[in-house]
Amino acid sequence: MPAPVDQQRPDHSAWLHQARATWDERAPWWDEVAQVYAAAPDRVGDIHRTATALNLQPGSRLLDAGCGTGQFAIAFARRGCDVTAVDLAPDMLKRARRHAQEAGVEIIWREGDLTALPDRDETYDAVHARLSLHFVPDMAATLTELRRVLRPGGRLYASIPGALSPIYANVWQRHLDPGRRANNYATPWELACLLEHQGWAIVDQWGDFGPTPDGAPNSLRGEAIPTLDIRLQQAAATTWAFIAE
């Protein structure tokens, strides 16, 4: 007989502790690759598409949920958004603050758990969760919290790797080390089902089939991808983004 759902979920505090330690250790590496990734020519179009899909305007209140070292929070702040950026790892935020100061933009930086935000209900016009939901211990609880702080009519951007993404190249190692808890290996298909189950409406979605932030190529790129069934496209994508409201 399977264990009850609450027994199947990992210990929340232990997960957060390990994830924080993992990303603090990775912060120098991540900052270096993220700076290059965010500055790539195709990122400009990606930011524009995301901002348009989220209906962002100058003065829009945006939560960057899982901001890392701040490159995308800064990009939205440069577009005139009022950005609050949250991350679990203090070393990531230390670097993000420095980048924001160098860029001359004002951003509220907070260390915290995405399942327990201090904001009032309906605080934000939009939420940006780029490659962060597959690092939380409880995606359902996180989406519920993001819904709480999002105003009615506001939109969520959420992206995670495809099942065959090079980002997931080493996920098999969890079978050798069951204690690995920095990643829950969710797929776009699962995220879509979870969003719909919670009452979100998916209003747009698209894939990125380019290299990972650290340059690992997607071997499944090609002109045939747009002709595939949507779930096959999701599986092949380096990352897949949803816009939901």
Side-chain angles (χ1 to χ4, degrees):
M1 177 178 293
V5 172
D6 59 347
Q7 292 182 23
Q8 293 175 345
R9 290 175 178 159
D11 178 82
H12 194 93
S13 296
W15 178 298
L16 293 179
H17 176 78
Q18 183 162 338
R20 182 182 293 109
T22 297
W23 283 107
D24 274 344
E25 181 180 350
R26 292 178 181 175
W29 163 80
W30 176 255
D31 194 22
E32 181 178 352
V33 300
Q35 285 286 87
V36 175
Y37 183 74
D42 58 347
R43 292 305 107 191
V44 176
D46 184 29
I47 288 290
H48 177 75
R49 181 173 187 174
T50 300
T52 300
L54 291 176
N55 297 324
L56 295 179
Q57 306 293 330
S60 293
R61 301 194 67 182
L62 173 71
L63 174 67
D64 192 7
C67 64
T69 48
Q71 286 78 14
F72 288 96
I74 291 168
F76 288 117
R78 282 174 166 160
R79 297 179 69 97
C81 295
D82 181 0
V83 180
T84 297
V86 180
D87 201 88
L88 184 66
D91 283 1
M92 293 285 222
L93 290 170
K94 180 180 178 180
R95 292 168 181 273
R97 291 187 179 97
R98 185 176 70 248
H99 293 317
Q101 184 177 18
E102 293 169 351
V105 295
E106 293 291 332
I107 295 173
I108 297 173
W109 303 101
R110 288 204 313 242
E111 180 184 342
D113 174 7
L114 296 181
T115 64
L117 298 168
D119 304 288
R120 295 180 179 180
D121 294 356
E122 303 178 8
T123 294
Y124 298 103
D125 299 304
V127 174
H128 178 253
R130 180 183 294 264
L131 291 177
S132 57
L133 292 180
H134 59 301
F135 291 116
V136 301
D138 188 335
M139 284 181 59
T142 301
L143 289 171
T144 296
E145 183 70 344
L146 297 181
R147 166 72 86 182
R148 181 186 68 79
V149 301
L150 188 63
R151 68 166 176 79
R155 287 186 169 184
L156 165 72
Y157 169 103
S159 67
I160 59 175
L164 301 178
S165 170
I167 293 175
Y168 280 166
N170 295 319
V171 298
W172 62 273
Q173 294 178 4
R174 72 189 187 278
H175 297 292
L176 302 178
D177 181 7
R180 291 166 62 96
R181 288 185 174 180
N183 195 318
N184 62 27
Y185 312 120
T187 67
W189 176 80
E190 291 174 312
L191 177 55
C193 291
L194 185 56
L195 286 167
E196 292 168 351
H197 177 75
Q198 290 195 344
W200 297 83
I202 296 172
V203 297
D204 199 2
Q205 55 183 299
W206 63 86
D208 177 358
F209 298 88
T212 66
D214 61 347
N218 187 324
S219 61
L220 298 176
R221 286 185 296 167
E223 295 180 358
I225 288 178
T227 69
L228 298 176
D229 177 85
I230 188 70
R231 291 191 182 180
L232 294 177
Q233 291 187 51
Q234 290 175 351
T238 304
T239 63
W240 191 269
F242 294 98
I243 302 293
E245 61 181 19

